[in-house]
Amino acid sequence: MSMLTPALLAAALLAGPVSTEIALPALPAPLHGTLLAPDAPTAVAVILPGSGPTDRDGNSPLGVAASTYRLLAEGLAEQGIATIRIDKRGIAASAAAGPSEADLRFDAYAADARAWATEAASRAGLPCTWLIGHSEGALVALKAVEGGGDKVCGLILLAGAGRPAGVVIREQLENGLPDPLKAQAFAVLSELEAGRTVADTPPALAALFRPSVQPYLISWLPLDPAALLAACDGPVFIGQGTTDLQIGVTDAQALAAADPKATLKLWDGVNHLLKTASADRAANMATYADPALPLAPGVGEDVGAFIRANGM
């Protein structure tokens, strides 16, 4: 067997991590993602996307093109950590695997996260996988390990809600709706929280409460992220930016209070997409469409350091 010369070894190192398209068998169609792996990874993680039509890179046709998950994957690869970032069921390359909106339930995302964790560990030749959940993906990660997670090393929760969704939605609607519509929205929300669908929703609230999405909301609204975390074993990292316009420091603190062993990191001047941004809404939102803007300094490094320090 020939030996690698110093020149060939240097060339291999310069080649960087290898990107591989992955198809995970599923019904009614495979799920798709990208494995980004350095040579001989020391750990592997699955990056779970946030809500809506968010793809594996962290982008969405709803005006988000920040490539947050691709940038995070690249930053972790530089630290020897492989990642699989995924198109969730029904989105982008995994579109064919999605049920009709009326048939979608939150549990399906959690089951897929567990399947991806098993796949990632197998491909990396490692005993377990980290779950990195961003925004709603943090709740998916917590639900995925409810009752145990044999193939999960631990959780990285980034910009994740620390309170039930109904509390956060009411907070968001409080200043965004006129009083009569607000009263209607809160009434619909209360019915959904009680597990009852609402046939007649105001047209102005159709984007949030249309009949086809109500079964999914009913499966999602009862979930309490802090309670799920309190019952979770294993290492947990909670990362939150101070200029996040969607999830606040209060949520990160609620999560941390639920698990005193968790590591809480607050990133000053970092927004929901983990980029440096001021609290000014227009300037903050401008970062959502800028893939050339790197992740805020320290974000990828802190996540990678935690994973390496808690290696299994």
Side-chain angles (χ1 to χ4, degrees):
M1 180 180 292
S2 61
M3 298 289 291
L4 274 177
T5 66
L8 287 174
L9 180 59
L13 292 173
L14 288 172
V18 176
S19 182
T20 307
E21 292 298 299
I22 303 293
L24 179 67
L27 293 174
L31 301 170
H32 294 269
T34 299
L35 169 66
L36 186 65
D39 187 49
T42 57
V44 63
V46 173
I47 300 175
L48 303 172
S51 61
T54 305
D55 68 16
R56 71 184 78 180
D57 287 342
N59 299 329
S60 162
L62 302 180
V64 179
S67 295
T68 293
Y69 307 153
R70 175 181 59 77
L71 292 169
L72 179 58
E74 291 170 353
L76 292 176
E78 291 176 358
Q79 301 175 70
I81 299 166
T83 56
I84 294 181
R85 57 190 196 273
I86 65 170
D87 289 335
K88 61 185 176 181
R89 185 176 292 271
I91 303 302
S94 299
S100 67
E101 185 172 70
D103 291 331
L104 182 62
R105 302 292 185 273
F106 195 90
D107 283 350
Y109 291 143
D112 289 343
R114 289 191 291 270
W116 277 116
T118 299
E119 179 74 7
S122 174
R123 285 184 176 266
L126 294 167
C128 60
T129 302
W130 290 82
L131 292 181
I132 301 177
H134 174 251
S135 192
E136 189 183 64
L139 184 59
V140 173
L142 285 166
K143 184 66 175 174
V145 298
E146 185 180 30
D150 292 341
K151 289 295 182 180
V152 177
C153 310
L155 303 180
I156 308 293
L157 309 177
L158 304 177
R163 300 164 293 164
V167 176
V168 178
I169 291 172
R170 283 185 176 85
E171 199 172 81
Q172 292 172 341
L173 295 179
E174 181 65 38
N175 298 318
L177 292 177
D179 286 341
L181 196 57
K182 187 190 307 178
Q184 290 176 295
F186 288 178
V188 172
L189 197 52
S190 294
E191 286 295 291
L192 296 174
E193 286 172 325
R196 297 185 291 266
T197 58
V198 180
D200 299 318
T201 55
L205 298 174
L208 184 58
F209 295 131
R210 59 192 177 278
S212 60
V213 81
Q214 289 184 25
Y216 176 78
L217 294 176
I218 288 171
S219 76
W220 173 48
L221 288 167
L223 301 177
D224 183 343
L228 288 170
L229 181 52
C232 178
D233 291 325
V236 176
F237 176 93
I238 302 162
Q240 176 65 46
T242 64
T243 54
D244 188 332
L245 300 179
Q246 294 169 250
I247 296 292
V249 170
T250 298
D251 287 280
Q253 291 170 334
L255 288 173
D259 182 2
K261 301 186 302 298
T263 294
L264 171 63
K265 181 68 178 183
L266 300 179
W267 293 303
D268 191 43
V270 174
N271 71 1
H272 192 65
L273 296 190
L274 310 180
K275 305 213 176 180
T276 300
S278 73
D280 175 75
R281 185 172 186 84
N284 196 303
M285 295 302 293
T287 69
Y288 283 50
D290 188 358
L293 185 66
L295 293 187
V299 170
E301 293 83 355
D302 288 343
V303 171
F306 183 83
I307 290 174
R308 294 197 311 275
N310 291 276
M312 298 277 182

